[in-house]
Amino acid sequence: MPRQPPACGVYAVSTVQEELGLRGARTSAFGIDPQIGVAVDVTHATDCPTIEKKEEGDVRLGRGPVIHRGPNMNRRSSSGSSRLPTSTKSPINWRPRPKHGTDANAIQINRAGVATGLISIPNRYMHSPVEMISLEDIDRAADLLARFAQGLDAEVELIP
């Protein structure tokens, strides 16, 4: 019997094996077949001596989630996200994302393509035994995602 497409709605998915080929995001995006997707990840905080701000941007703990812009991000989903912090007065970090390598890329190239955004939590000392994040950044990211989902319109045109 052929598989039925999932019903319309908002899906939250927790994936595995991002660093082993984006496997979990690929299978999840294929099964759901979304029109728009937002990956949530961590990114390097650059407010420490081990990261070069000139290469990675100015990303600080406690300054809110990070909205990424780049070739794998849909301009309309990123600009829609960027309007929210202004209206909610929440702090935010911005970061260019010039290359692939996150679950957002796996979502974007799923099937015929998906309008994709990427929101990250700043993480100081990533991939070490002493990683550090701000709980406020996580709360602000959750608020940002909720407001973004509430603002979606079924008739929105996502083709840039």
Side-chain angles (χ1 to χ4, degrees):
M1 177 181 288
R3 257 172 89 172
Q4 296 296 317
C8 292
V10 175
Y11 293 80
V13 178
S14 179
T15 63
V16 297
Q17 298 182 331
E18 179 211 32
E19 294 184 6
L20 299 173
L22 310 172
R23 295 175 182 166
R26 286 181 187 192
T27 57
S28 297
F30 188 88
I32 295 170
D33 193 16
Q35 290 181 291
I36 187 168
V38 179
V40 179
D41 202 346
V42 293
T43 193
H44 289 281
T46 61
D47 58 354
C48 64
T50 60
I51 304 290
E52 182 58 51
K53 285 183 187 177
K54 290 179 185 176
E55 294 176 17
E56 301 291 331
D58 186 14
V59 177
R60 302 179 198 175
L61 260 64
R63 200 169 73 181
V66 180
I67 296 178
H68 295 265
R69 289 196 171 164
N72 298 117
M73 307 308 126
N74 180 277
R75 181 176 51 86
R76 296 193 180 184
S77 65
S78 292
S79 63
S81 299
S82 67
R83 285 193 297 270
L84 291 172
T86 305
S87 65
T88 62
K89 306 290 189 241
S90 291
I92 195 147
N93 287 284
W94 291 95
R95 184 165 186 206
R97 192 74 179 177
K99 58 186 177 181
H100 63 280
T102 68
D103 284 346
N105 181 249
I107 295 168
Q108 180 211 19
I109 61 174
N110 176 60
R111 297 187 185 222
V114 177
T116 304
L118 174 59
I119 296 175
S120 296
I121 308 300
N123 183 342
R124 191 180 296 151
Y125 312 123
M126 190 185 313
H127 302 296
S128 79
V130 292
E131 292 186 16
M132 185 182 302
I133 60 170
S134 164
L135 295 177
E136 287 182 358
D137 290 343
I138 292 175
D139 289 343
R140 290 174 180 145
D143 290 343
L144 180 65
L145 288 165
R147 292 183 198 284
F148 182 75
Q150 288 173 336
L152 290 175
D153 180 354
E155 304 302 317
V156 68
E157 179 59 54
L158 297 170
I159 299 172

